[in-house]
């Protein structure tokens, strides 16, 4: 099974890039959680454990030929749909809205895993079906069902951020496969009157307010807008060079919410300034483009689709999270890959990275 | 190829990856421009916002200056006081917190809530004091339970300490939180809500000196407003101290002399205008005004017919009664209408046109000269003299002595009394002056009103033969290092310009009042020192039925003005006993005690041997002439 060529073709650049970003993440979590005193292991150390676990996942994912996912994609997809339903049922009956599923020894979050599985399922679908002139509206039926069902289930939990990401990953993959301009235009044309109708006819005032506050947090500076305003202050007050490691006032005095998880980048921006942000953004961009590069070097369509999907997953996580932290997008609970504290995000990201490495090192095998 | 898998080549799609890569780059570029906007263009603004997030300035109250008597005895000082404050933004559960505070400290729930509500609408994270003046034990309980009481803060502020309790309360005034109206005024523009300011008396009139300069601390707080560390600090500067002209012993003995009676007394140094004692009785507890005023005490203050909250020495305006005869007599002498020998026959009443004016002695005094008229306080003599003088001439002399307008003592809101003239009546009532209104003015009734300070100043001016000094209460202002900032010497307002012979003749009469048989002021007599003075009994209501049975509020006021020593005057004193009925029996003894204490302090009179167990024994009016019934004012209270 282990071929020597695999080892020589191992993508060390990608691997080291991931490790570098993760290391920066650990350093940042050390600062972000500096004033917290969690019981037991400090957050940065726990994050290191998660990274080590992530490396194990990379090793596992790399050691098997990714084509096994091609064979099992629909089965995995079906199983994950089942788990999503189970989460809804168990969640409703036991603890209210919950995303977690207790499997005895470990708890898993099916919606998180769904991000990876949807990539596999869509890749599997398009392996057999690529219309040379792009997808028509009718061609979109099955892919949309494939994405729509899990997205709705996740939205029901409710976990808007993850649902949105699943849709965006899928949309990116569709764009890669190719969609006709007419199709895009038709979809947009259909969307405009739908939104307009919903806004004027079906939404009540309080619902509209909620949506408006969601989009413009300044409407409600002491309520939902407070955190995003504080985050912008944190980022901006960092200036060009930042306030220095462990010197961030916004973070250390806890004006930031979730500062070691979703708002970790805001802590980083305050302490390392524009230059630090520039470096991190460049690292992330290289990571995403590297993923696309793997797709372009891959002669196998399934592998290429997988790589594009994983790159899209990373890209959207990064853009949505940082965009939220700097006040470009509304606040949705999306973690920053490798930077935010948390096991689930680390596992998902590392699985994706494992897939990229897997595809990359097997590109010459066909 | 494993497992016969059909591998589909992927050349066609690779072109699109280039487009996707551009999209990715565009996405990152978007993030970068936003970061550029925030971190470079808006950096300064947002940095300032982050600083104002974490930094707050907390005023540190300056220690107020102390108040000393003329011998350096501390009359008002400071001690730390703890108050319980809440920062509403930090409170997790208001109801639960109030429950715990009520349970833990035994505080009053309604009061807590009321103060809490009152403090709403202030800036975020500014503590609201919900209980002032909590004890050291309560502070310890709070500190022990600090972590269970989020949002609770203990503040330390210096508060006033009154070693002599209610002594000279009206003079000192009290402190209370600055009111919203005051904050709007220029005088308090540097004050913050919650600051304590002098509300009355010296505390108010010398607020600028006493208050000191508040310091400030710049502190760092976290998002919940909790104190983290002090960034910078400016120390508060303690206020200046006041050294008063008041003699604590004299003040104490004067207040004691009043007992339960309501009234006022002012003692002046006749050669400087220094106020030696300043009494308004009954007093109140100034400490209660700074903290939590118990409702029952407040109620008792308001319901007391003797009006304890009124500063009677400063604002009480009384008809001076017979004490005003001094002015009438001096006016007559100066105008050449009378001399020491001229006599009038008193038949018990005086007729003017169709009006009849009674002498207090219905049987008449017989033939009286000036000396006897003063000594026995014959009204008829002065009715006649007053009629000759006319109201305007009486007023002219009264004004020479500083009556009819405020003397300008260093306290706020001094009243001016009233000296009527024809012009005044015309203006005030749009009516002509009737000749029949003059005789009452001549004996200090009718429209005439004077404050105890004015009466004291008047008799002091007589004592020093015509110099009107501005009465003042503060000798020196002293900075915290003990250096004199300002010294207040004698300030002459006016000289009466009257002939010494006139003063001499009147003074002889005043000496007789106290020291000769039938003199009305004999209860002010001291054996060791010659005292001169004049009694007064002024009507509160015009028509009176039978003497002695009127309700308290209709009884006559008792007055006495006097000075000593007769030959070389040092101290002048004016005493008003509200509804005390007779100047000779109610006011003169008090004046006598004040004078006695003054000369005891000076060593002129030997202090009686005090028995430790009965300090009151020393108050026995040893100077009372034998055979005179000793009527203690306390016995007349109701």
């Amino acid at each position: 099974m282990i071929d020597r060529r695999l080892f020589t073709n191992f993508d060390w650049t990608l691997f080291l890039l991931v490790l570098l970003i993760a290391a920066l993440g650990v350093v940042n979590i050390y600062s972000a959680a500096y004033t917290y005193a969690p019981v037991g292991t400090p957050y940065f150390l726990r994050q290191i454990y998660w990274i080590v676990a992530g490396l194990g996942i990379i090793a596992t994912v790399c050691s098997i030929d990714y084509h096994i996912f091609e064979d099992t994609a629909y089965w995995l997809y079906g199983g994950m749909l089942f788990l999503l339903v189970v989460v809804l049922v168990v969640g409703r009956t036991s603890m209210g809205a919950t995303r977690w599923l207790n499997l005895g020894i470990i708890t898993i979050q099916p919606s998180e895993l769904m991000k990876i599985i949807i990539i596999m399922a869509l890749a599997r679908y398009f392996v057999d079906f690529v219309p040379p002139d792009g997808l028509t509206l009718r061609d979109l039926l099955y892919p949309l069902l494939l994405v729509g069902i899990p997205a709705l289930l996740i939205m029901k939990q409710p976990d808007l951020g993850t649902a949105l990401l699943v849709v965006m990953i899928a949309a990116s993959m569709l764009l890669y496969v190719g969609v006709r301009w007419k199709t895009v235009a038709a979809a947009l044309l259909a969307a405009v009157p739908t939104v307009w109708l919903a806004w004027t006819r079906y939404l009540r005032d309080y619902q509209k307010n909620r949506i408006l506050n969601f989009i413009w947090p300044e409407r409600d500076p002491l309520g939902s807008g407070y955190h995003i305003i504080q985050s912008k202050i944190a980022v901006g007050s960092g200036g060009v060079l930042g306030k220095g490691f462990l010197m961030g006032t916004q973070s250390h005095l806890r004006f930031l919410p979730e500062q070691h998880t979703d708002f970790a980048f805001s802590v980083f921006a305050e302490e390392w300034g524009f230059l630090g942000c520039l470096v991190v953004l460049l690292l992330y961009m290289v990571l995403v483009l590297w993923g696309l590069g793997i797709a372009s070097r891959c002669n196998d369509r399934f592998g290429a689709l997988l790589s594009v999907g994983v790159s899209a997953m990373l890209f959207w996580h990064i853009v949505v999270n940082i965009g939220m932290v700097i006040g470009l997008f509304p606040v949705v609970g999306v973690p920053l890959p490798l930077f935010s504290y948390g096991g689930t995000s680390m596992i998902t990201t590392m699985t994706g990275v494992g897939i990229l490495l897997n595809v990359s090192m097997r590109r010459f095998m066909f | 190829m494993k497992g016969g898998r059909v591998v589909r080549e992927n050349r066609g799609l690779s072109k699109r990856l280039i487009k996707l890569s551009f999209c990715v780059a565009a996405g990152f570029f978007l993030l970068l421009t936003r970061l550029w906007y925030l971190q470079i263009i808006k950096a300064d603004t947002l940095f300032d916002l982050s600083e104002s997030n974490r930094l707050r300035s907390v005023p540190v109250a300056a220690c107020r200056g102390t108040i000393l008597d003329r011998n350096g005895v501390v009359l008002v000082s400071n001690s730390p006081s703890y108050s319980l404050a809440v920062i509403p933004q930090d409170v997790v559960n208001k109801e639960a917190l109030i429950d715990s505070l009520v349970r833990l400290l035994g505080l009053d729930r309604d009061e807590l809530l009321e103060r809490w509500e009152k403090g709403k609408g202030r800036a975020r994270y500014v503590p609201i004091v919900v209980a002032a003046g909590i004890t050291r034990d309560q502070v310890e309980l709070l500190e022990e339970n600090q972590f269970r009481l989020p949002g609770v803060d203990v503040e330390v502020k210096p508060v006033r300490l009154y070693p002599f309790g209610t002594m000279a309360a009206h003079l000192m005034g009290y402190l209370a939180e600055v009111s919203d109206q005051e904050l709007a005024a220029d005088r308090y523009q540097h004050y913050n809500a919650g600051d304590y300011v002098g509300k009355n008396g010296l505390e108010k009139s010398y607020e600028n000196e006493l208050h000191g300069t508040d310091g400030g601390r710049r502190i760092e707080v976290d998002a919940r407003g909790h104190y983290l560390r002090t960034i910078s600090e400016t120390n508060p500067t303690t206020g200046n101290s006041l050294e008063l002209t008041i003699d604590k012993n004299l003040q104490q003995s004067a207040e004691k002399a009043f007992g339960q009676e309501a009234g006022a007394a002012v003692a002046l140094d006749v050669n400087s205008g220094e106020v030696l004692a300043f009494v308004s009785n009954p007093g109140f507890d100034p400490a209660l005004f700074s903290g939590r005023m118990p409702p029952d005490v407040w109620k008792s203050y308001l319901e007391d017919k003797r009006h304890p909250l009124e500063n009677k020495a400063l604002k009480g305006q009384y008809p001076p009664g017979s004490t005003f005869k001094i002015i009438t007599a001096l006016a007559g002498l100066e105008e050449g209408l009378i001399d020491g020998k001229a006599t009038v026959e008193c038949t018990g009443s005086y007729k003017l046109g169709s009006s009849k004016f009674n002498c207090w002695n219905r049987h008449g005094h017989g033939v009286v000269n000036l000396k006897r008229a003063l000594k026995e306080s014959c009204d008829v003599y002065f009715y006649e003299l007053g009629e000759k003088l006319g109201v305007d001439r009486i007023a002219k002399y009264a004004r020479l002595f500083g009556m009819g307008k405020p003397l300008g003592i260093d306290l706020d809101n001094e009243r001016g009394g009233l000296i009527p003239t024809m012009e005044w009546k015309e203006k005030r009532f749009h009516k002509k002056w009737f000749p029949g209104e003059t005789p009452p003015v001549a004996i200090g009734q009718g429209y005439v009103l004077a404050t105890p300070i004015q009466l004291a100043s008047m008799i002091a001016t007589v004592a020093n033969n015509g110099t009107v000094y501005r009465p003042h209460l503060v000798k020196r202002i002293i900075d915290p290092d003990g250096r004199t900032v300002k010294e207040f010497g004698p300030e002459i307002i006016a000289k009466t310009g009257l002939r010494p012979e006139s003063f001499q003749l009147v003074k002889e009469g005043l000496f007789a009042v106290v020291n000769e048989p039938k003199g009305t002021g004999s209860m002010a007599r001291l054996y060791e020192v010659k005292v001169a003075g004049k009694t007064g009994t002024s009507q509160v209501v015009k028509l009176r039925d039978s003497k002695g049975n009127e309700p308290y509020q209709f009884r006559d006021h008792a007055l006495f003005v006097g000075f000593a020593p007769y030959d070389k005057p040092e101290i002048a004193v004016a005493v008003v006993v509200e509804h005390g009925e007779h100047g000779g029996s109610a006011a003169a003894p008090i004046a006598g005690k004040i004078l006695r204490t003054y000369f005891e302090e000076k060593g002129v009179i030997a202090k009686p041997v005090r028995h430790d167990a009965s300090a009151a024994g020393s108050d026995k009016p040893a100077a009372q002439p034998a055979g005179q019934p000793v009527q203690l004012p306390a016995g007349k209270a109701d």
Side-chain angles (χ1 to χ4, degrees), chain A residues 253, chain B residues 50-57 218-221 231:
Chain A
L253 307 178
Chain B
S50 80
E51 289 292 280
S52 65
N53 257 344
R54 72 180 182 109
L55 298 176
R56 292 196 211 305
S57 48
R218 267 178 96 66
I219 60 162
E220 187 175 55
V221 296
I231 306 279

Side-chain angles (χ1 to χ4, degrees), chain B residues 116-127:
Chain B
W116 194 316
E117 291 302 318
K118 225 178 108 191
K120 277 192 175 167
R122 291 191 189 161
R124 270 169 78 89
Y125 294 114
V126 171

Side-chain angles (χ1 to χ4, degrees), chain A residues 89-273:
Chain A
V89 173
V90 173
R92 283 253 168 82
T93 49
S94 61
M95 293 176 283
T98 175
R99 301 159 187 179
W100 297 85
L101 200 58
N102 196 339
L103 294 184
I105 2 166
I106 55 159
T107 54
I108 61 163
Q109 199 177 346
S111 57
E112 195 67 23
L113 284 173
M114 198 65 200
K115 291 174 192 165
I116 300 284
I117 302 299
I118 196 68
I119 293 169
M120 292 176 179
L122 278 176
R124 172 70 188 81
Y125 180 80
F126 286 115
V127 162
D128 292 334
F129 179 71
V130 177
D133 303 325
L135 299 165
T136 64
L137 217 50
R138 183 184 300 190
D139 296 335
L140 281 176
L141 183 64
Y142 289 112
L144 282 186
L145 277 177
L146 219 51
V147 178
I149 295 168
L152 283 175
L153 286 172
I154 294 168
M155 203 127 68
K156 268 260 169 191
Q157 288 182 354
D159 184 353
L160 196 63
T162 309
L164 215 64
L165 271 164
V166 167
V167 170
M168 289 198 285
I169 292 165
S172 312
M173 289 178 75
L174 290 178
L175 284 177
Y176 170 62
V177 171
V179 186
R180 289 190 186 182
W181 279 112
K182 275 191 207 164
T183 315
V184 176
L188 285 177
L189 276 179
V192 170
T194 313
V195 170
W196 182 79
L197 209 67
W199 191 261
T200 52
R201 278 286 180 86
Y202 295 102
L203 289 176
R204 308 231 167 137
D205 277 348
Y206 78 92
Q207 289 171 319
K208 288 183 195 174
N209 266 326
R210 207 179 281 173
I211 291 169
L212 288 174
N213 287 348
F214 185 72
I215 299 172
W216 292 290
E218 278 81 357
R219 279 172 56 99
D220 186 15
L222 294 181
S224 56
Y226 178 73
H227 293 318
I228 193 64
I229 289 168
Q230 292 302 333
S231 176
K232 282 202 289 191
I233 291 173
V235 172
S237 66
V240 180
L241 295 173
K243 293 177 183 171
F245 184 55
L246 298 181
M247 303 293 276
T249 57
Q250 286 286 98
S251 51
H252 289 257
L253 307 178
R254 301 196 201 178
F255 287 93
L256 291 174
E258 314 273 338
Q259 57 194 37
H260 59 296
T261 59
D262 288 357
F263 282 81
F265 186 75
S266 157
V267 176
F268 184 85
E270 186 184 18
E271 297 191 347
W272 299 94

Side-chain angles (χ1 to χ4, degrees), chain B residues 563-580:
Chain B
F563 61 89
Y566 171 71
D567 305 311
K568 200 167 178 287
E570 292 174 17
I571 176 173
V573 61
V575 176
V576 176
V577 180
E578 285 189 354
H579 313 295

